[in-house]
């Protein structure tokens, strides 16, 4: 039976058809990261080779060829043509891909959490890199005869101010400003494409870069002073490809198909235009000694520099917003998949799917500011940027291999993807890893911190499940009579009309109607709780993103209801709302008696009050498992102190909730010596 929720209905009926409006929204949502890459890609390549004085015509053509073919192979072929086909009911991204194949092999969680952790780390660096690069274009630039930004300290101050405002407004929702993202990004791409085309027309011989020969030749040319390590800078041109895949659920595959050709054309034209400018100015001494040289801004006519920098700043903010919103979504998905602790998720705006996670927001803000203050300029930040996303892409390739092979049974294509793209990404990783000591270690530390939390949370779940004996669960059938007698025992005061316990999912046949023994202990032993109906509710997270279904088994009674909720990994787990809907349906069908209320502010109310009991676990001294496993479980319990409470997570903030502390006993209990007390005479 389906729960007819607004969220589910909306998802099925909005925004996936190809349309002009859809394409415009796609430009604002999907391409912010990759669209701002021209700000720093050629700058990084030239600086890596020692500046303008050390580059030649062959070097420039080879570099542009490397950038072009990286965009075509990694973004167009791997992500647009292949990865977008691996969708989970329209949803994309590494966690959506993982849910499609997680039942194929348990170890696939490893590339999933590594990829998720590094993608989050990338999201922490992108705002700092893009905004700093854009603001640096103002340094030393006269505006109406006045230079507003004179030094790098002022660049840092303005960058920090912009980032702080951006993160501050997140809690209010960004749907109003979000509506302008599409038109602004359309202007941005058209502008950079037009500037690139104008410069390209000055020397059409740059079109030789379309030939991959020049890309391969440069890798082994003595004019390339860093050899294969040049790919660490080239890779920056495709850093937004993973975000493109992750954002598919917001705009639909068809709108990405419809918009990408124009986006790719504008990006390519801009890179080619920068290449032509470099060819024409590489031997001019005045340009060879420019501090903070950036060919992206140098190709602009003098009268367009200020508007270009302002537009670049806005585009950088939009790219940052996309990464911030994407981080919220990624964390939310990981929580539902039990890969991260429960964290409070807010929905600050009416815009479909917009999330706000306070703790994630302020951690992102703090890390961005630390990155800006630590690295001080974009050139140093670029050394840290890119390393994390190469790992994410490699993990996505591994998951794609299993999706294409095990699920789609296209083994030839699966092996081609693994070998071809895996090889390219390993080379990119090696070239990016060479920047480890120059700033890459910052990315690694951030990703390692996120990964450690994911590992602790996932591993502790596995430990708990594998070390909890079946004897700790009991069948509700064995306690039907006791619950019946307790309900009818008028000697006890009525505790509540509907008593609800959150239980564990019953996924296997032998688990049918099984609940934890401590739940029955709470009802019958700890303090007999008389109720009209006893509810045992479990939340099962499904592989489909927007599932909203349930089963309800009364065990042949009208006082026990065993509910299994099946909610997609993108659904809110508001148990209170769902339970009230279920009881209305069951009363309407005659499965439960009506619960008319004598005293009520609601006319004709036929549902009684609810009380929810939540079990809070404390690791018992009787636990006997490996020391390492015990440490992981203790770390999990410590993390729970900083996470959202079960009451808040399941939408019970304003409900009648009781928390009972219970011992968590894992493994075989330690034997306890029996002492016989002797009475003193």
């Amino acid at each position: 039976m389906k729960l007819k929720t607004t969220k589910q209905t909306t998802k099925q009926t909005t925004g996936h058809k190809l349309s002009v409006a859809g394409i415009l929204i796609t430009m604002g949502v999907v391409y912010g990261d990759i669209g701002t890459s021209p700000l720093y890609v050629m700058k990084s390549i030239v600086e890596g080779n020692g500046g303008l004085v050390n580059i030649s015509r062959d070097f420039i053509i080879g570099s542009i060829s490397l950038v072009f073919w990286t965009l075509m192979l990694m973004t167009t072929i791997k992500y647009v043509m292949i990865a977008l086909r691996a969708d989970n009911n329209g949803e994309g991204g590494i966690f959506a891909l993982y849910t499609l194949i997680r039942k194929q092999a348990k170890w696939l969680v490893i590339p999933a959490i590594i990829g998720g952790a590094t993608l989050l780390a990338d999201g922490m660096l992108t705002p700092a890199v893009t905004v700093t690069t854009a603001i640096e274009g103002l340094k030393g630039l006269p505006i109406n005869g006045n230079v507003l930004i004179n030094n790098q300290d002022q660049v840092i101050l303005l960058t920090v101010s912009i980032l702080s405002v951006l993160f501050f407004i997140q809690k209010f929702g960004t749907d109003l400003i979000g509506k302008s993202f599409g038109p602004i990004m359309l202007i941005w791409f058209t502008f950079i494409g037009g500037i690139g085309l104008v410069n390209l027309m000055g020397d059409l011989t740059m079109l030789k870069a379309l030939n991959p020969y020049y890309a391969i030749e440069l890798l082994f040319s003595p004019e390339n002073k860093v050899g294969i390590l040049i790919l660490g800078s080239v890779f920056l041109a495709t850093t937004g490809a993973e975000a493109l895949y992750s954002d598919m659920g917001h705009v639909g595959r068809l709108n990405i198909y419809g918009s990408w050709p124009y986006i790719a054309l504008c990006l390519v034209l801009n890179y080619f235009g920068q290449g032509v400018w470099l060819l024409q100015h590489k031997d001019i001494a005045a340009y060879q000694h420019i501090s903070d040289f950036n060919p992206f801004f140098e190709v602009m006519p003098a009268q367009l520099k200020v508007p270009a920098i302002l537009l670049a700043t806005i585009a950088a903010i939009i790219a940052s917003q996309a990464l911030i919103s994407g981080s919220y979504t990624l964390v939310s998905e990981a929580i539902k998949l039990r890969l991260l602790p429960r964290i409070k998720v807010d929905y600050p705006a009416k815009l479909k799917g917009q999330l706000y996670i306070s703790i994630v927001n302020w951690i992102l803000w703090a890390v961005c500011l630390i990155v800006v203050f630590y690295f001080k300029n974009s050139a140093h930040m670029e050394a840290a940027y890119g390393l994390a996303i190469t790992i994410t892409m490699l993990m996505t390739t591994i998951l794609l291999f299993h999706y294409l092979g095990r699920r789609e049974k296209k083994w030839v294509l699966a092996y081609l993807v693994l070998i071809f793209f895996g090889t390219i990404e390993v080379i990119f990783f090696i070239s990016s890893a060479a920047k480890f000591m120059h700033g890459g270690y910052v990315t690694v530390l951030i990703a390692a911190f996120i990964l450690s939390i994911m590992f602790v949370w996932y591993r502790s779940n596995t430990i708990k499940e594998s070390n909890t004996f079946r004897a700790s669960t009991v069948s509700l059938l064995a306690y039907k009579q006791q619950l019946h007698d307790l309900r009818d025992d008028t000697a006890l005061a009525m505790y509540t009309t509907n008593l609800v316990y959150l239980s564990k999912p019953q996924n296997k046949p032998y688990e049918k109607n099984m609940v934890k023994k401590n739940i029955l202990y709470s009802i019958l032993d700890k303090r007999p709780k008389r109720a009209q109906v006893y509810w045992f509710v479990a939340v099962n997270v499904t592989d489909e993103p927007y599932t909203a279904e349930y089963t309800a088994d009364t065990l042949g009674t009208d006082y026990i209801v065993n509910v299994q909720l099946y909610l997609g990994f993108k659904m809110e787990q508001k148990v209170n709302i769902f339970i009230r809907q279920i009881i209305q349906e069951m009363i309407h069908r005659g499965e439960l008696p009506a619960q008319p209320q004598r005293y009520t502010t609601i006319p004709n109310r036929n549902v009684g009050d609810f009380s929810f009991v939540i079990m809070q676990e404390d690791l018992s001294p009787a636990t006997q498992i490996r020391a390492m496993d015990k440490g992981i479980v203790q770390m999990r319990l410590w993390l729970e102190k900083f996470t959202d409470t079960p009451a808040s997570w399941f939408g019970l903030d304003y409900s009648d909730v009781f928390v009972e502390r219970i011992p968590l006993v894992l493994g075989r209990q330690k034997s306890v010596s029996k002492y016989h007390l002797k009475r003193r005479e």
Side-chain angles (χ1 to χ4, degrees), residues 259-374:
S259 57
W260 173 246
Y262 182 74
I263 302 302
L265 176 63
C266 291
L267 290 172
V268 169
L269 284 174
N270 190 265
Y271 285 122
F272 274 66
Q274 289 188 51
V276 170
W277 187 93
L278 288 169
L279 283 177
Q280 296 172 340
H281 297 80
K282 63 183 178 64
D283 297 322
I284 300 176
Y287 286 101
Q288 292 177 352
H289 299 93
I290 294 178
S291 60
D292 300 317
F293 172 78
N294 189 337
F296 177 84
F297 292 117
E298 295 302 327
V299 301
M300 308 288 175
Q303 63 272 25
L304 288 181
K305 274 198 175 183
V306 173
I309 292 169
L310 293 176
L311 187 57
T313 303
I314 296 172
I317 292 172
I318 292 174
S320 301
Q321 176 61 54
L323 266 295
I324 294 168
S325 299
S327 297
Y328 298 154
T329 302
L330 197 68
V331 169
S332 178
E333 291 176 1
I335 293 169
K336 304 288 179 56
L337 293 171
R338 301 174 72 196
L339 299 177
L340 277 176
R342 287 192 292 258
I343 305 172
K344 183 175 177 57
V345 180
D346 294 317
Y347 300 84
K350 296 179 181 178
L351 188 65
K352 170 72 181 70
Q354 186 173 120
L355 312 175
Y356 173 70
I357 305 178
S358 179
I359 188 172
V360 174
N361 184 72
W362 297 117
I363 289 175
L364 287 172
W365 171 76
V367 172
C368 281
L369 263 57
I370 290 170
V371 168
V372 172
F373 283 121
Y374 180 72

Side-chain angles (χ1 to χ4, degrees), residues 180-469:
S180 64
F181 284 2
I184 291 173
M185 291 307 290
L186 175 60
I187 294 171
W188 166 255
F189 283 113
T190 303
F191 175 75
I192 65 173
I195 291 293
L197 179 61
V198 170
N199 281 274
L200 176 60
M201 297 303 294
D203 188 353
L204 290 176
T205 60
M206 178 55 66
L207 294 176
K208 291 167 60 178
L210 295 173
N211 187 338
Y213 167 79
Y214 296 100
I216 298 171
E217 181 186 44
L218 180 63
L219 292 177
F220 304 98
S221 170
E223 295 180 10
N224 172 16
K225 300 184 182 305
V226 292
I228 199 172
L229 301 184
I230 192 177
L231 294 177
S233 296
V234 172
F235 180 77
L236 298 176
T238 192
T239 53
E242 190 71 36
L244 178 152
Y245 179 37
S246 298
D247 288 330
M248 175 170 56
H250 295 293
V251 297
R253 180 195 303 129
L254 293 180
N255 286 314
I256 295 178
Y257 285 164
S259 57
W260 173 246
Y262 182 74
I263 302 302
L265 176 63
C266 291
L267 290 172
V268 169
L269 284 174
N270 190 265
Y271 285 122
F272 274 66
Q274 289 188 51
V276 170
W277 187 93
L278 288 169
L279 283 177
Q280 296 172 340
H281 297 80
K282 63 183 178 64
D283 297 322
I284 300 176
Y287 286 101
Q288 292 177 352
H289 299 93
I290 294 178
S291 60
D292 300 317
F293 172 78
N294 189 337
F296 177 84
F297 292 117
E298 295 302 327
V299 301
M300 308 288 175
Q303 63 272 25
L304 288 181
K305 274 198 175 183
V306 173
I309 292 169
L310 293 176
L311 187 57
T313 303
I314 296 172
I317 292 172
I318 292 174
S320 301
Q321 176 61 54
L323 266 295
I324 294 168
S325 299
S327 297
Y328 298 154
T329 302
L330 197 68
V331 169
S332 178
E333 291 176 1
I335 293 169
K336 304 288 179 56
L337 293 171
R338 301 174 72 196
L339 299 177
L340 277 176
R342 287 192 292 258
I343 305 172
K344 183 175 177 57
V345 180
D346 294 317
Y347 300 84
K350 296 179 181 178
L351 188 65
K352 170 72 181 70
Q354 186 173 120
L355 312 175
Y356 173 70
I357 305 178
S358 179
I359 188 172
V360 174
N361 184 72
W362 297 117
I363 289 175
L364 287 172
W365 171 76
V367 172
C368 281
L369 263 57
I370 290 170
V371 168
V372 172
F373 283 121
Y374 180 72
F375 287 107
K376 299 186 183 303
N377 62 58
S378 62
H380 294 156
M381 293 179 199
E382 288 155 13
Y385 194 47
L387 177 57
I389 207 66
T390 59
I391 301 174
T392 304
M393 287 186 170
L394 189 56
M395 298 303 104
T396 299
T397 297
I398 293 172
L399 295 178
L400 268 177
F401 166 74
H402 288 275
Y403 170 81
L404 293 170
R406 296 179 182 232
R407 185 179 173 97
E408 296 296 306
K409 306 303 180 184
K410 299 177 180 178
W411 284 106
V412 174
L413 178 60
Y415 277 106
L416 285 175
V417 167
L418 180 66
I419 296 171
F420 183 75
F421 291 109
T423 301
I424 292 176
E425 285 157 0
V426 167
I427 294 173
F428 274 130
F429 171 73
I430 293 171
S431 58
S432 297
K435 299 187 291 185
F436 180 84
M437 296 307 298
H438 300 284
Y441 61 88
V442 173
T443 308
V444 173
L445 288 174
I446 295 171
F449 175 74
I450 300 169
L451 181 61
S452 64
I453 295 176
M454 285 186 168
F455 171 77
V456 166
W457 203 257
Y458 177 81
R459 178 60 185 159
S460 63
N461 286 327
T462 304
I463 293 169
K464 288 173 65 177
E465 291 170 0
S466 61
N467 288 280
T468 301
F469 291 108

